[in-house]
Amino acid sequence: MAKYILVRLSIISLLFLSSFSCGVKDEVNPDLEVFDIEEAGAGPNCKFDTAKLAKILEEDIHGEIKCLEANLDNFVKFVRRENPNYISLSELKSFIQRFFPENADKVHKLLGFVFKLNTLLLKDPHESISLANLPLLFELFQIVNIEGQKLSKELKEFNKNTYWENRNTMFAAASALGTKGLDVTKRRKDNETSTLDIPDFLEKIKDLLELTDEQFNIDLIKDYLFAKKLILGGDKNILTSSQFTGLLEKAPSLLITGLDAISISTKEFKTKETEWFFYFDLVNDLRSFFFIQPDSDVIVEQDNLLRIAEKLLDNKYDIVKQMGSSIKKVKPKLIGGDKQFYSYKDAKALIGLAQDFFGAQYFNDITYSHFKRVLDSPLPIINLRNPNLPEYQLFSKSQIKYLWNEFRFVTEHYRYFSDSAGFINFHNTYKRTRKGYSQNTTLRWAFKKLIHAYGSFRGERRKEVSIDEMRVLLYDIKGILKEPNLNFWPKDPERFISEAVNGSDLFQWQGDGNTFTDVEEATEYFTTILASTKVEKDIHQRMQGHCPLVGPDSNSFEISCYRDYWYQVFFNELKLEVYFPKLKAYIDKVGTEVAHTYLVNLEVYAREIPDEQLPMTKIDIKRLVIAFSNLETVMERYDFNKDGKLDKRELDQAFHRFKELIIKVGGLKPSTEFFAPSIFLYLIKKMKIPSTIQLALFHFLGKKKKITSTRFQIAAILSFFIESN
């Protein structure tokens, strides 16, 4: 559509000039389509074929343009003008109304359009065309014809699949058009800066070309005009001649950057490093286009962005109504500023987030490549030294220090890394992967933003999120989660909140059991969720070969059937023992009956609604895989001698993880906190909550030294830690 409009505007401009230079009517010779300008009384300097004017962006019409220029010069001699140095709009309108009344209305529209365009391009006064600038105007037509042909050809043949092969050619064509056009505009008379009302100009274009709202939606275009203010400054609805000069300077790079972004999906990268560098460089290019202006200047309204997003996503999501309220709640906390407006400061903050993200990914990938042999070690790694790679020169010293510390932290403190298939390896040894580093650093980056926005400092520690703060976050994004096409809103929000905080705090490798969630715990928890989602999809697909789909969603399984085939699908068919080797060893050791009970115990903890009368849903399966993963993490964290069970010494260490929650849910006062270890051991041994008398007897008289725990006991008490909060 853009190319179509451009072609028609060029043709209209030339036809307009030709009609006044020759003084002819609309009638043409039907056979030759050649105007006879002798009717105007001025005598022809030359003749031109109007059919060629329609091909200004397709073939060389140098002769026709020169002919138009010569005839316009001739025409000027026969027009009486108040100012002999200008052709005014009113004088031309009077001339047209007098001699060509039958075409006056249409021609007046053309006049208004061309005069506005001329004022912007050549800085002539409003409603006037300077005779001195006429040669420049026709020079611009020649440039459009010669260089525009090349760019038009490239745009017509644009294809994402072949774009990268032709990218340099397209940039050269755009640069030639912009550079030569810029040269002409710089040679115009140095008048005061002229302006163009963009919405009014858009209306004239629509009227001239007789376009429908579907073909040329001005309201939608207005939503995009914020980009004008962001890139060129000033009022978003007003384009000055000096800003137009700036646009010509930026246009080639803007065009290529935009096409790069559109065509990313078809670009092939030799390495992950080059891919991350490309994204990082692209975002930096976008940032370089920003026009410096006061931080407080409003760039765009929130509602404009929501309408654009909905249009770009083809109205797939109810962004304006359903999700808009959530976005407005989150924006001031994550970005800052007013919920309804994005200032220049906010725009810099947004692009800064993208720069930080892609910069970190590039930094981590080149650093991973450098240390790959070291990182392939199955052992813990400490005391890595900054290698100061040449590629680090893209970053400032402070950025290098920060990014290096982040990379080293992940290396030294993270235990689990997703592999190329998206699975986590619950081995006794470390299995670090490039994808795992990328995923962990991505999630850490995101949770740092969220927890900084919604969390609080606990003493002098880093920010953490409490259950109450998690509730605020969840309900702030309720509109997004409840969007029908996403449908992420949990059936039991309070249980979800408790699970999110306690599940990350208690059952992750870096969990500390302080009843709050920090960045590392949240990152590990969500890593487990992502891996479990992948496993769930595979299980659900394989299970259909054994159990019919049932339930209201026709996508669930009968409880009895799914239980019969769970371990067969999990281990024998999907071969997940590669990722869960210790779980496989445990299941083989305890036998079918205990393995079945273990599965049932985990169901109670995992299922959204643990009712045996209800079928096993896809969400239930994913939550069950998360439960299996949590248990493997706990066992790996505290099974120091790797014998598959936790003895009393190991349980004492594990107790410190659960201490604060036991005190909290047990309502223990400072004077009765000494009962907490006994409550923990009682739960392990008896797999139920003790009464006051039972606890007292067990605390003072119970035998505790030989208490041990397997996955079975921990599975039986998981629901206590989650649901009792």
Side-chain angles (χ1 to χ4, degrees):
M1 176 56 67
K3 290 184 290 183
Y4 169 75
I5 292 173
L6 176 61
V7 171
R8 292 192 64 183
L9 287 178
S10 302
I11 295 169
I12 286 172
S13 300
L14 290 175
L15 287 176
F16 155 72
L17 290 171
S18 68
S19 65
F20 301 125
S21 64
C22 307
V24 299
K25 302 181 181 181
D26 280 349
E27 290 81 12
V28 299
N29 186 317
D31 298 321
L32 301 177
E33 289 190 277
V34 175
F35 290 107
D36 183 355
I37 62 172
E38 289 181 342
E39 296 179 10
N45 288 328
C46 57
K47 294 186 178 182
F48 53 90
D49 185 351
T50 57
K52 286 190 175 182
L53 295 177
K55 300 179 180 180
I56 186 172
L57 295 177
E58 297 176 15
E59 61 182 57
D60 185 358
I61 60 168
H62 172 79
E64 269 61 30
I65 296 174
K66 292 297 293 183
C67 180
L68 286 174
E69 183 177 11
N71 280 300
L72 183 58
D73 288 339
N74 193 31
F75 172 75
V76 166
K77 299 174 184 178
F78 296 90
V79 178
R80 294 182 180 178
R81 301 182 305 283
E82 182 178 348
N83 187 334
N85 296 319
Y86 289 91
I87 303 173
S88 74
L89 177 60
S90 59
E91 289 166 344
L92 279 175
K93 282 186 175 181
S94 297
F95 180 84
I96 295 301
Q97 191 69 42
R98 179 176 179 181
F99 293 99
F100 307 103
E102 66 276 18
N103 296 314
D105 290 342
K106 184 174 182 179
V107 172
H108 286 171
K109 292 180 182 180
L110 289 170
L111 284 172
F113 168 77
V114 174
F115 270 74
K116 282 183 175 294
L117 195 59
N118 176 72
T119 298
L120 181 67
L121 292 172
L122 299 177
K123 298 176 72 173
D124 278 337
H126 284 286
E127 301 188 348
S128 295
I129 293 179
S130 167
L131 298 186
N133 277 339
L134 279 178
L136 297 181
L137 186 61
F138 278 94
E139 188 174 346
L140 285 173
F141 283 142
Q142 294 285 9
I143 291 171
V144 170
N145 179 223
I146 297 171
E147 303 300 339
Q149 277 187 74
K150 301 173 185 177
L151 183 58
S152 176
K153 179 178 181 295
E154 294 296 328
L155 290 173
K156 286 179 180 178
E157 296 175 355
F158 170 76
N159 184 304
K160 289 194 291 185
N161 295 319
T162 59
Y163 167 71
W164 300 103
E165 300 172 12
N166 304 320
R167 182 177 183 270
N168 291 339
T169 303
M170 185 172 291
F171 181 72
S175 295
L177 181 60
T179 301
K180 293 181 179 181
L182 186 63
D183 177 66
V184 172
T185 60
K186 285 182 177 179
R187 287 188 276 118
R188 61 196 167 189
K189 293 173 59 179
D190 189 21
N191 294 333
E192 294 183 2
T193 297
S194 56
T195 61
L196 179 73
D197 185 304
I198 299 174
D200 178 63
F201 191 62
L202 293 173
E203 291 286 357
K204 283 183 167 52
I205 292 175
K206 183 179 180 181
D207 192 25
L208 278 172
L209 302 183
E210 299 179 349
L211 300 172
T212 64
D213 288 339
E214 185 177 345
Q215 293 172 313
F216 199 67
N217 190 326
I218 293 179
D219 288 334
L220 178 61
I221 296 174
K222 287 180 180 178
D223 281 335
Y224 284 93
L225 286 181
F226 76 90
K228 181 269 173 185
K229 178 172 178 57
L230 183 62
I231 295 172
L232 300 175
D235 189 324
K236 69 176 184 179
N237 293 316
I238 301 297
L239 181 64
T240 68
S241 54
S242 59
Q243 289 170 352
F244 185 75
T245 298
L247 180 61
L248 285 178
E249 293 172 342
K250 295 180 178 182
S253 296
L254 273 171
L255 174 64
I256 293 302
T257 300
L259 293 177
D260 283 355
I262 292 172
S263 308
I264 282 177
S265 61
T266 62
K267 185 171 177 60
E268 295 182 0
F269 299 97
K270 292 182 179 180
T271 66
K272 204 65 180 172
E273 296 171 25
T274 57
E275 182 176 2
W276 286 124
F277 175 78
F278 178 84
Y279 298 145
F280 183 44
D281 192 50
L282 181 65
V283 173
N284 287 336
D285 283 344
L286 289 173
R287 176 64 179 86
S288 70
F289 294 132
F290 284 14
F291 181 85
I292 298 175
Q293 47 200 297
D295 281 347
S296 59
D297 278 10
V298 174
I299 300 297
V300 64
E301 292 188 29
Q302 179 87 271
D303 291 342
N304 282 12
L305 292 180
L306 295 177
R307 288 193 296 270
I308 291 172
E310 195 160 65
K311 186 69 175 180
L312 291 175
L313 294 172
D314 198 25
N315 298 315
K316 181 178 180 181
Y317 303 104
D318 191 359
I319 292 177
V320 175
K321 295 180 181 179
Q322 186 70 38
M323 304 171 71
S325 60
S326 289
I327 295 173
K328 289 179 181 179
K329 290 178 182 177
V330 171
K331 185 265 179 181
K333 296 176 182 177
L334 287 180
I335 306 299
D338 189 276
K339 67 179 181 179
Q340 183 59 41
F341 301 99
Y342 283 81
S343 66
Y344 182 61
K345 182 179 180 180
D346 297 336
K348 290 190 297 182
L350 278 174
I351 198 72
L353 290 178
Q355 288 176 303
D356 290 345
F357 173 74
F358 290 116
Q361 295 296 338
Y362 174 62
F363 183 96
N364 289 336
D365 211 73
I366 58 178
T367 307
Y368 183 93
S369 294
H370 177 77
F371 283 115
K372 188 177 185 307
R373 181 175 297 180
V374 176
L375 298 176
D376 284 343
S377 168
L379 302 175
I381 297 174
I382 58 174
N383 297 326
L384 278 182
R385 294 183 179 273
N386 187 337
N388 286 319
L389 301 175
E391 293 86 349
Y392 289 179
Q393 294 178 9
L394 290 171
F395 305 95
S396 67
K397 289 184 178 180
S398 60
Q399 286 176 314
I400 293 173
K401 181 179 179 180
Y402 173 79
L403 293 170
W404 167 249
N405 287 335
E406 292 289 286
F407 183 89
R408 186 175 61 182
F409 185 91
V410 171
T411 301
E412 296 180 356
H413 293 276
Y414 275 69
R415 180 66 177 79
Y416 300 115
F417 299 84
S418 297
D419 66 6
S420 58
F423 297 149
I424 293 175
N425 294 277
F426 293 97
H427 289 254
N428 288 329
T429 58
Y430 286 75
K431 288 186 177 292
R432 302 176 185 88
T433 66
R434 188 183 297 271
K435 179 179 179 179
Y437 265 83
S438 177
Q439 181 172 285
N440 285 341
T441 53
T442 297
L443 292 175
R444 285 186 81 233
W445 177 85
F447 282 116
K448 277 188 176 183
K449 304 302 178 185
L450 283 172
I451 291 178
H452 178 78
Y454 284 88
S456 302
F457 287 104
R458 313 298 170 187
E460 296 182 357
R461 301 187 63 187
R462 57 190 177 275
K463 276 193 173 183
E464 299 172 317
V465 173
S466 67
I467 284 181
D468 289 339
E469 290 163 342
M470 180 65 75
R471 183 179 295 107
V472 173
L473 170 59
L474 184 69
Y475 280 90
D476 271 3
I477 62 175
K478 181 179 180 180
I480 297 174
L481 299 179
K482 291 195 74 173
E483 206 285 328
N485 288 297
L486 296 176
N487 195 28
F488 288 153
W489 185 251
K491 293 181 180 179
D492 186 344
E494 288 303 314
R495 180 181 176 184
F496 173 84
I497 293 166
S498 177
E499 288 175 343
V501 175
N502 291 324
S504 58
D505 182 47
L506 296 174
F507 300 110
Q508 305 312 309
W509 182 259
Q510 297 182 71
D512 57 13
N514 69 342
T515 71
F516 302 103
T517 295
D518 64 20
V519 170
E520 318 312 333
E521 294 166 346
T523 299
E524 292 182 336
Y525 183 60
F526 206 78
T527 297
T528 301
I529 291 175
L530 292 177
S532 299
T533 299
K534 179 69 171 67
V535 176
E536 169 264 310
K537 290 180 180 178
D538 291 348
I539 290 175
H540 189 270
Q541 183 178 2
R542 289 292 186 125
M543 193 67 73
Q544 293 177 49
H546 304 287
C547 302
L549 292 172
V550 298
D553 59 357
S554 298
N555 211 23
S556 305
F557 303 108
E558 290 287 357
I559 288 292
S560 59
C561 186
Y562 121 82
R563 286 175 179 170
D564 287 343
Y565 291 99
W566 174 262
Y567 289 115
Q568 177 180 327
V569 169
F570 198 87
F571 291 121
N572 298 341
E573 298 183 21
L574 295 178
K575 309 298 182 184
L576 292 177
E577 68 270 15
V578 174
Y579 299 96
F580 294 84
K582 293 183 291 183
L583 174 61
K584 180 63 164 60
Y586 171 74
I587 296 301
D588 289 344
K589 180 180 179 180
V590 299
T592 303
E593 184 176 348
V594 173
H596 177 82
T597 306
Y598 177 62
L599 178 62
V600 174
N601 287 341
L602 280 182
E603 279 180 25
V604 175
Y605 160 61
R607 298 188 65 196
E608 284 192 300
I609 303 176
D611 184 345
E612 294 205 3
Q613 301 303 312
L614 298 177
M616 192 75 174
T617 67
K618 288 187 69 175
I619 294 178
D620 288 340
I621 292 175
K622 179 171 69 175
R623 291 168 60 90
L624 184 59
V625 176
I626 293 173
F628 272 102
S629 301
N630 285 344
L631 262 294
E632 292 308 296
T633 301
V634 170
M635 293 301 295
E636 177 63 30
R637 181 69 178 83
Y638 295 107
D639 184 14
F640 303 118
N641 60 8
K642 312 301 180 186
D643 64 352
K645 61 182 179 180
L646 304 182
D647 58 28
K648 178 60 167 56
R649 180 180 63 89
E650 293 165 338
L651 286 172
D652 287 343
Q653 293 295 317
F655 163 72
H656 294 291
R657 177 78 65 93
F658 299 100
K659 176 182 176 181
E660 292 299 323
L661 186 59
I662 290 173
I663 291 172
K664 184 177 180 180
V665 300
L668 300 181
K669 299 178 181 179
S671 60
T672 58
E673 285 184 6
F674 65 89
F675 280 117
S678 294
I679 295 175
F680 178 67
L681 293 174
Y682 188 95
L683 288 168
I684 293 295
K685 184 175 182 178
K686 303 291 186 179
M687 292 184 291
K688 63 180 182 179
I689 301 174
S691 66
T692 303
I693 295 177
Q694 288 171 332
L695 176 59
L697 290 174
F698 181 76
H699 178 74
F700 292 108
L701 303 176
K703 296 180 180 181
K704 308 179 184 67
K705 291 184 178 181
K706 294 186 179 181
I707 293 178
T708 62
S709 174
T710 66
R711 292 167 176 79
F712 187 85
Q713 283 88 352
I714 297 177
I717 65 170
L718 276 177
S719 59
F720 169 76
F721 294 116
I722 298 299
E723 296 178 356
S724 297
N725 190 57

